[in-house]
Amino acid sequence: MQRRNFIKNIAIGGLTAGMIGSSKLAQAYPRYRWKMVTAWPKNFPGLGTCANRLAQYITNMSGRRITVRIFGAGELVPAFEVFDAVSRGTAEIGHSSPYYWKGKTEVAQFFSGVPFGLNAQETNAWLYYGGGLELWTELYAQFGLIPFPAGNTGVQMGGWFNKEIKSVSDLNGLKMRIPGLGGEVLSRVGGTPVNLPGGEIFTSLQSGTIDATEWVGPYNDLAFGLYKAAQYYYYPGFHEPGTCMEAMINKAAYEALPPDLQAIIRIACQAVNMDMLSEYTLRNPIALETLVKKHNVTLRQYPDDVLRRLRTVSAEVVAEIGNKDDYSRKVYKSYSQFQTQARAWTDLSEMSYTRARDQL
Ligand code: CA
């Protein structure tokens, strides 16, 4: 009896439990019907399913006070118009990766990842604790957006080629799908970078519109059937050592939410950020085995001198973009300082541990 009275008197949003079910409850808890646009084909393994999970977490954690309807690339807007669509409020959320928006602001590419830069674990450390997310938030505010990390692929693969890459000159004249700063690096060694949304890669490679491509890693590359259009599968993905996906939220829509719903969105993004990395870490090795054993893909490591050359060029590209204006300099400085610290620790911890575990 006492307990019943207690429950009856709990205030919910200024109302007592006795009023549950009344129309006043709906007024106390307004409901939000949001749209999410994504840069991926709907339900695409890993990326599209990460967006689905984000929508599900937000809907479930909020007790359906926010429901999120998902649109894959091309359903409401094309893949590369996600940024504008969320910026102008056509959709409240977008799921993509910041390097797709280099046409808006080149420095955004730092938040996806940097060639020869931070790995996934280090990227999360920089974003959540090293000031990275604050800088990213400052950048996107100009576009009426709020960014959150929302998925990470881990180290990607170098890409698919129909010839062996024995020296840097083999990249000369190569037309390759490769986004972000990695694309700029390719152009500096004589290649032609092309940016295509995921859904167009296979056809372009098969028809010869492009000579080579990178996409993500074994799990995603197997799903697109890239092994049917190229023989050599190169590693490591020097250009994408831990690519961060983003959930961008329309700033006005986010700010109109009560604080508990804002927290739900933030934490749901954090949850999928970890989910995706965990899923890729599990599925990549399984998919790689399928590619090599079942589909006879030829695995190749980039030669050391190719990697050294690409690392030198990458440092030049990153420094140029990181010195374009005051804001870019802040991002570049924060990123580089953290990378120096992180590297000292990663070498001593993760690297020496995996060496002891696997190589001694
Ligand atoms: Ca990629």
Side-chain angles (χ1 to χ4, degrees), residues 99-100 153 156-157 177-179 214-217 239-240 243:
Y99 55 28
Y100 291 145
T153 62
Q156 299 200 0
M157 286 292 282
R177 185 270 178 192
I178 174 170
E214 67 81 63
W215 171 224
V216 182
H239 62 299
E240 295 197 59
T243 303

